[in-house]
Structures are given as C-alpha cells and as structure tokens.
Amino acid sequence: MAPTHKKRKADGEEGNTGRGGDEQGSGSGSGSGSESGPPRNGGIECEHKRQKKAIDAIVKEYSCPLSLELPVEPVTAEDGRVYNRADISRHIENAKNGDNDDGGNDDDDDDDDDGNGDEYKNLRSPVTNEKMGPKLVPAIQVQNMIRALVESKAVDDASIEHWRKVDTVRNKAINGDPVSMAILSGWFFDGDNGLFEDYEMSYSWVKKAADLENSRAKADVGYMLYNGNGVERNPTEAALYLGMAAAMGAPNGAYYLARFYFEGRDDVGCFAKDNGKARYWLIKALGNFGDDAKGQKLAEDLKKLLDKEENNNENDS
C-alpha cells in the first residue's frame, strides 16, 4: 500500500462561464442609438472578471484552512469551520498528546471516556485559536457543493485535480469497480491522498474488491487478516486468502507468502520458517508487479535478505 499527499494552495483560475452572448440587445441598428457606454467586448470581459472573482471566493471558502486544498472528506469541527478530516484529525491528535500547561491541576472529573475531558483541554481552533471540542461532523452539503462546482467546469485549476482524482476513484468504487475499491482501500490504509488513516474503512473496501474476485485485493485481505488491521486477527483465514491470491497470480500475494515464510511467522502453525518456500514464492513475485514500483522494491529487498542469510548459513556449515 502507498505513502503521502502533498499540499497545494487552492487558487482558482479563470473559468469559461461567460454569458456575453446574451448581452447583445435586440436593437442592432448601426446608427440608431446615441447612448455612450463601454464597448460590448469590454462588458463581456468585465463579466468574466466578476465571475472569476466570485469563483475564487467560493474555492477559498471551501478550502481546508490547514491543507489549503478542497477537502476530500469535509467535516465541520466544533469551531464551526469546515476542514479536511485527515488534517483536522491530526491537529486534534497533536493537541491530545501535547503537554498540559495548566500547572498540573487534575481536579476535573476523572471520567474522560466521552472524549471531551482533560485530554482535550489544550485543543484550540486552528483558525481562531479559541478552545474547542474534538467532535467532527461530516459536511455532506459542502461535499455536494464542491462536487457541483467541479462538475460545472467553472474552475479549471490544478488545485482541484487532487480532489477530482479522489472523487473519481471513490465514485467508481461506490458503483462497483473492484480496482477502484482496492485503490481506495490502499489510500485509507496509508492515510494517503488527503484521506484519514482508517484501517476499518480500508478493510471494508478491500474485502468488497476481494469478494468480486480481484486477486490483489484477496492478497491484501490476507495481509490485514494476519495482522488484525481493521478486522479481528485470523492467521488461518489469512493463509487461505494469501494462497488463493498467489494462485491467481497476484504478485503481492506471492510476496506476502515469501515474507512470512522467511520471517517464520508460525504463531498458529501456518508459516514455519522455510527459506525454500520463501524463495519459491518470491520468484513468482519478482518482475510481476507491473507499474507497482513500491511492491517490486519490497520484493527485491526481501531477495537481498534471503540471499544474505543463505550465504551466511553456507559459510557457517
């Protein structure tokens, strides 16, 4: 699965929504009127500028104050502002883990299980610096408004490409495309492309893709089952999924098997240390990752470790 998104400042560019064609009056006689005014083309240009200014203001209003991008998961925080979920969640977590500077006064209610106790006493709004609580509410209307703005093509700017990329994959996943489901799962797993790291959501999407017979998704289900990422740990079922995925030709399935046999993950009798099996599956993984450079690199690194260990064993014997 894969790493981190980059921030881009959302500066909307000039749109193509001018309505100048309606500005020509019905009286078109060349010498009929003596009224003075700006040339017709100047009026259209002014209209374009007004529209661009309005669109820029809308993009700025909807942009997350922390990432300066249109939020891919807009939420409303307790300060009344809309943020991207991943960014405001990091801000909240940092405040939760920060040092308390109240002189050590711990006389408040000891029950912090509601998420609004002492642990959030340092939490402040990133915009106003006023104290606020940690509650986040999905901003569905803002999400719909951003989608309408993007789909209208009123904003043709690099700042919306990131939002469009995530929304396109998400919509394809919702509409049943297993490849998009697997991609979306990876983004949630890594907290990538502006999405909040969420193992449960990641597992939910990859399991749907696996149920649609996507081989790489089956491998990732196996990996997550083995490690208990977003699902109750089940090494036995994990071994079944990894075996199915590898048999279907999924290079990540073969890599996971090679890695587990090399490491000797035998806590339930599934993956006793076996360099022969590790190499067998590694050969099936190497060179078959296509454009997945990260997967290929992981397999190459594992081969180096396997070669080194076998050479050391030969020298010791």
Side-chain angles (χ1 to χ4, degrees):
M1 294 185 166
T4 170
H5 70 291
K6 297 181 180 177
K7 315 289 189 225
R8 292 178 298 276
K9 189 169 182 179
D11 297 324
E13 293 181 357
E14 180 171 332
N16 295 315
T17 55
R19 296 174 295 179
D22 294 331
E23 294 187 1
Q24 297 183 14
S26 57
S28 56
S30 58
S32 57
S34 59
E35 302 162 281
S36 62
R40 214 173 275 138
N41 286 344
I44 295 173
E45 210 172 296
C46 287
E47 178 68 12
H48 280 178
K49 287 181 179 179
R50 282 194 296 270
Q51 289 181 2
K52 179 184 182 301
K53 189 174 181 179
I55 290 167
D56 286 351
I58 293 171
V59 171
K60 185 177 180 180
E61 178 66 23
Y62 287 150
S63 293
C64 171
L66 293 171
S67 68
L68 303 181
E69 294 180 326
L70 290 174
V72 295
E73 279 189 291
V75 292
T76 303
E78 289 194 41
D79 64 352
R81 306 278 177 163
V82 174
Y83 300 89
N84 188 50
R85 183 184 173 213
D87 297 289
I88 189 61
S89 294
R90 276 191 291 270
H91 175 80
I92 292 171
E93 192 64 22
N94 289 339
K96 177 181 174 182
N97 295 329
D99 294 330
N100 292 335
D101 55 2
D102 61 352
N105 184 359
D106 293 328
D107 293 335
D108 295 334
D109 193 328
D110 290 333
D111 184 6
D112 293 339
D113 291 340
D114 62 357
N116 290 291
D118 253 9
E119 60 184 341
Y120 292 106
K121 66 169 66 177
N122 292 328
L123 178 56
R124 292 179 177 273
S125 165
V127 177
T128 67
N129 203 36
E130 298 292 326
K131 286 190 174 183
M132 73 175 200
K135 186 177 180 181
L136 302 175
V137 179
I140 306 299
Q141 287 183 311
V142 172
Q143 178 83 336
N144 292 337
M145 287 293 292
I146 293 174
R147 182 174 290 109
L149 180 67
V150 172
E151 290 178 352
S152 73
K153 298 183 180 178
V155 183
D156 183 17
D157 179 68
S159 64
I160 66 171
E161 288 306 313
H162 175 242
W163 189 95
R164 184 184 282 125
K165 171 186 174 182
V166 174
D167 195 60
T168 298
V169 170
R170 182 164 43 201
N171 283 338
K172 286 182 178 180
I174 290 171
N175 289 320
D177 176 39
V179 174
S180 297
M181 291 175 185
I183 292 171
L184 191 60
S185 168
W187 291 348
F188 275 117
F189 189 91
D190 292 322
D192 199 6
N193 281 289
L195 295 175
F196 183 65
E197 183 182 289
D198 187 333
Y199 286 169
E200 289 186 9
M201 186 67 74
S202 176
Y203 182 79
S204 172
W205 279 115
V206 81
K207 182 63 166 61
K208 290 176 182 177
D211 290 344
L212 293 172
E213 299 303 312
N214 183 281
S215 62
R216 292 199 183 198
K218 284 183 183 292
D220 287 333
V221 166
Y223 180 86
M224 296 181 77
L225 279 167
Y226 189 89
N227 292 291
N229 300 131
V231 64
E232 185 177 350
R233 189 168 186 263
N234 190 331
T236 303
E237 191 175 358
L240 291 174
Y241 268 96
L242 291 173
M244 285 189 290
M248 292 170 71
N252 55 335
Y255 165 75
Y256 292 141
L257 286 172
R259 176 175 157 188
F260 290 172
Y261 278 119
F262 174 72
E263 294 173 352
R265 297 192 180 189
D266 193 31
D267 55 342
V268 290
C270 293
F271 300 107
K273 173 74 172 174
D274 189 326
N275 283 358
K277 289 182 178 179
R279 188 170 295 280
Y280 171 83
W281 288 113
L282 188 58
I283 289 171
K284 290 185 176 295
L286 282 166
N288 292 316
F289 281 95
D291 58 1
D292 182 2
K294 182 181 177 181
Q296 179 65 22
K297 177 70 164 53
L298 288 170
E300 290 171 355
D301 289 345
L302 180 59
K303 183 178 183 300
K304 291 176 184 177
L305 291 173
L306 183 57
D307 290 344
K308 182 178 180 181
E309 183 173 295
E310 290 183 343
N311 288 335
N312 289 339
N313 291 341
E314 287 178 7
N315 292 334
D316 292 340
S317 59

